[in-house]
Amino acid sequence: MQFIDLHRQRERIKVDIEVRIQTVLSHGKFILGPEIQELEQKLADFAGVPHCITCSSGSDALLMALMAWGIGPGDAVYTTPFTFIATAEVVALLGATPVFVDIDPKTYNIDPHLLETAVEQTERENKLRPRAVITVDLFGLPADYGAIEEIARRRSLPVLEDAAQSFGASVNGRRTCSFGTAAATSFFPAKPLGCYGDGGAVFVHDDALAAELRSIRVHGQGSNKYDNVRLGINGRFDTLQAAVVLAKLSVFPDEIEKRNRIARTYSEKLGTAVTVPHVPQGYESVWAQYSVLSRNADHRSELQEKLKKEGVPTAVYYPKPLHLQPAFKNLSYSEGDFPVSEDVSSRIFSLPMHPYLTDDEIDTICRSIAG
Ligand SMILES: *Cc1c(COP(=O)(O)O)cnc(C)c1O
C-alpha cells in the first residue's frame, strides 16, 4: 500500500497525459507556451478569481506575492508555526521577521484571536511594523477567513493564503485561492492537484497586482525581457508540467468527491480510537492529509508500529513546529511559546490518503487502529 498512490491516478489519465505531452513536444514552446495560458485561465475560473499566475513552485508563489507587496527588513509577517518550513522561510528570505501565532486545537489552523493579540503586541513593542498575514489551509482545510479577513481589514494588513495543500477546498461554496489579497498553491506531485515535478501558482483579484506578479516571475521584466523595472526571479512554470496539470484537472472534481468519501469512512470507523479531523460547518476539505490525534507520543508510536506491520505507511506532519527549528533560532523562541502547536506535533500522524484507496485498504487501515 502506498501513502499517496500516483500510479493509480496515472492509469486513469495516461492517454490524456501522453497526448498533451506529445502536443508540447511538437509545438516546442517549452517556456510559457500555450498550455500555460490555458491552465491559468482554467485555474482562475475554478477558484473563482480573475487572475492566476503559474510559477515554479508553491514556495516561489509565496515569495512572489511578498515581493510584490515590498515586504522586507523591519516588517512583521504573522503566520502559524505548525506548517511546512516554506511558509515562514520566504518571509525570512526577504529579511522580514516571521511572527508566529499558535493554532486552533481543533482545526490546526491559525487562531484568529491570538492573531489579533500578536499584532497588538508588535504595536506595543514598536520594533517591527505589522505588514502581512500568511494563513495556512493545513491538510486541505481552509483557515477561518471570516474572522481573519475582518481583523486584516481593520488593520489594513494584506492576507496571503497559503493554499499549497488546499486547492479545491471551499467554505460555503467559495473555493480556496479566492481568500485574502493573494493566494499561493503548489503542484508538487503529492499535493491534491500535482504535476510531475515542481510547480505552483499565485491567485489575485487585483489587475495591477497580477501585472506585477507576471513581471516578478520573469526577472522583473518591463515592456520586454531586457527592460528590467524591478527585481524578480526566474519563477516560470514549465509548459510540459502545465500539460500534466491540465490532464489532472479534468478528473479533479471527481477526485475531490472521492477524497471526501474516504475521509468520511475513516472518521466513522476511527472516531472512538483516535481524535479524527474536525471540519467546521460549511467547510469542505480537500484532504491533502487525513491526520488523526493519538493520546500521546507513545500511543502514536504504538499505532504507527501496528499499521506498519499490516503494510500501511504513515507519516508525521509536522514533528517539530517551526519556532523550534534550528533555522529560526535567531527568532529566540523557546519551548512552551506555542503550546497547542507543540502538543499537536507530539501526537498527530497521517494515514494514507488519495482518491484511489480501495475499500479493502481502508478496512485494513481502520482495523489496525480501531480493531
Ligand atoms: C508544499 C507546501 C509549500 C511549498 O510548496 P512547494 O511547491 O513544495 O514549494 C508551502 N506551504 C505549504 C503549507 C506546503 O504544504
Side-chain angles (χ1 to χ4, degrees), residues 94-300:
L94 291 172
T97 305
V99 176
F100 293 121
V101 175
D102 213 352
I103 54 170
D104 176 279
K106 283 167 92 175
T107 63
Y108 314 133
N109 284 328
I110 194 166
D111 183 328
H113 303 290
L114 297 177
L115 169 64
E116 182 124 55
T117 314
V119 178
E120 283 164 4
Q121 192 182 333
T122 311
E123 284 169 347
R124 262 198 319 275
E125 289 173 356
N126 204 26
K127 283 189 207 127
L128 299 169
R129 190 167 28 146
R131 270 304 304 279
V133 180
I134 308 181
T135 55
V136 179
D137 303 337
L138 201 74
F139 303 144
L141 181 75
D144 183 356
Y145 289 101
I148 293 160
E149 286 187 330
E150 211 274 314
I151 295 167
R153 199 164 30 242
R154 254 193 289 118
R155 297 178 173 275
S156 305
L157 296 173
V159 173
L160 173 54
E161 177 189 8
D162 182 343
Q165 302 182 6
S166 71
F167 190 78
S170 59
V171 184
N172 296 317
R174 181 174 162 190
R175 288 230 168 97
T176 54
C177 289
S178 72
F179 296 102
T181 319
T185 197
S186 165
F187 305 124
F188 182 79
K191 309 286 181 179
L193 181 65
C195 61
Y196 290 151
D198 279 307
V202 192
F203 294 78
V204 295
H205 301 266
D206 185 74
D207 298 349
L209 182 55
E212 262 180 81
L213 287 162
R214 291 187 187 283
S215 164
I216 289 169
R217 176 172 69 177
V218 189
H219 300 291
Q221 74 175 16
S223 53
N224 68 65
K225 207 169 158 179
Y226 301 106
D227 173 33
N228 307 102
V229 296
R230 57 172 64 77
L231 292 179
I233 60 174
N234 175 357
R236 295 171 299 235
F237 190 41
D238 290 340
T239 310
L240 273 170
Q241 297 296 351
V244 173
V245 179
L246 279 167
K248 293 197 182 192
L249 195 56
S250 62
V251 295
F252 191 50
D254 174 64
E255 291 186 340
I256 295 173
E257 265 178 50
K258 288 189 160 67
R259 285 173 180 275
N260 273 286
R261 201 161 55 232
I262 292 163
R264 273 196 299 277
T265 308
Y266 269 154
S267 291
E268 278 160 21
K269 295 190 174 177
L270 298 175
T272 54
V274 287
T275 306
V276 298
H278 171 68
V279 180
Q281 189 68 36
Y283 282 60
E284 187 183 79
S285 177
V286 73
W287 303 105
Q289 303 297 340
Y290 183 93
S291 307
V292 298
L293 271 188
S294 52
R295 288 191 299 276
N296 52 46
D298 287 343
H299 186 219
R300 173 168 74 187

Side-chain angles (χ1 to χ4, degrees), residues 57-59 62 83-84 86-87 136 162 164-165 186 188 191 199 318:
S57 69
S59 305
L62 293 165
T83 178
F84 182 58
T87 313
V136 179
D162 182 343
Q165 302 182 6
S186 165
F188 182 79
K191 309 286 181 179
Y318 295 92

Side-chain angles (χ1 to χ4, degrees), residues 18-35:
E18 276 160 24
V19 168
R20 286 175 189 273
I21 287 177
Q22 280 305 324
T23 305
V24 177
L25 295 180
S26 304
H27 68 53
K29 298 188 179 79
F30 301 117
I31 300 293
L32 299 182
E35 283 78 5

